[in-house]
Amino acid sequence: MSASRLSAVILVFCLSFAGAAQAHFGMVIPSTPTVMAAKDAPVNFSLKFWHPFENSGMNLEKPVSFQVFHDGKASDLLPGLKQGKEQGMTVWSTAYTPKTPGLYAFAMEPQPYFEKEEDCFIVHYTKVYVDAFGDDEGWAEPLGLRAEIVPLARPGALYAGNVFQGRVLMNGKAVPGVEVEVEWYPGPDKKGVAPTAAMITQTVKADDAGIFTYAAPTSGWWGFAALQTADQTMPLNGEQKSVELGAVLWVYFHAMQPAVPLGK
Ligand SMILES: [Cu+2]
């Protein structure tokens, strides 16, 4: 084997190895986390199955459900989803206009995605909040999703550098010690720069009450994905495969603005 052939083989091996290490995230990203005035609406939503930090991804098949929860009612947003392409991958979008004050929670259940390298299905229940017209009551309450992160800090009022805590629930029960992957989404047309591969996806573990803690080092959208193997398997070509259940929450951290002189 020639040296160039050998290095090509090594490169292919490394690329596939790097691929296996990438963390997948369900993404539901609104154009704004807070609607202050009618001019902020409609809020545009981008739905993806992605590697947020690196800003590259996979195809997201049409979700099983996409709902908005407001005032104790769930409304179906699935019929309004529009299919699109980003970097050659299937993504979805829609627009939503909050009309009354309050908290709007958006939740996506994707179709199970079979990940060949991990030989398992991945299902990430993905949630994000938008608060409208100065009211965000109810952010500490679970929606009742199969897998869900419930914030312990007001999600619409966080500065970069703040500590964020969330409680991980699967089937309504706290998950002690569950592993939570954390990634920053640098925004459309940007990718993050990490000193090592391990710092693309950071990992924290929940405590005995299923509560995890993380301090975001910079502003923007941050994704938290609590991952656990489901107790049921799913069939693929006559074989039973395990299922990775993800409870994913996207939270926006605002940049702290410098103070201005009084009177301005
Ligand atoms: Cu991937």
Side-chain angles (χ1 to χ4, degrees), residues 51-127:
H51 312 127
F53 191 96
E54 298 147 286
N55 206 346
S56 69
M58 289 80 55
N59 291 311
L60 177 66
E61 303 301 329
K62 187 165 196 181
V64 173
S65 76
F66 183 49
Q67 293 178 295
V68 57
F69 296 76
H70 175 65
D71 269 350
K73 282 198 302 277
S75 309
D76 184 11
L77 300 180
L78 202 58
L81 280 188
K82 287 194 194 71
Q83 190 175 341
K85 286 276 180 206
E86 190 172 328
Q87 301 176 31
M89 299 294 167
T90 305
V91 298
W92 300 83
S93 64
T94 195
Y96 182 84
T97 302
K99 295 204 173 72
T100 57
L103 184 73
Y104 293 77
F106 296 84
M108 168 180 71
E109 179 188 344
Q111 291 188 37
Y113 172 88
F114 188 71
E115 172 60 63
K116 283 194 205 79
E117 291 176 30
E118 292 168 39
D119 196 36
C120 73
F121 285 99
I122 297 178
V123 183
H124 282 180
Y125 291 80
T126 305
K127 183 172 75 170

Side-chain angles (χ1 to χ4, degrees), residues 114 119 121 233-242:
F114 188 71
D119 196 36
F121 285 99
T233 57
M234 285 183 54
L236 181 74
N237 304 325
E239 264 186 75
Q240 290 298 318
K241 301 290 185 185
S242 60

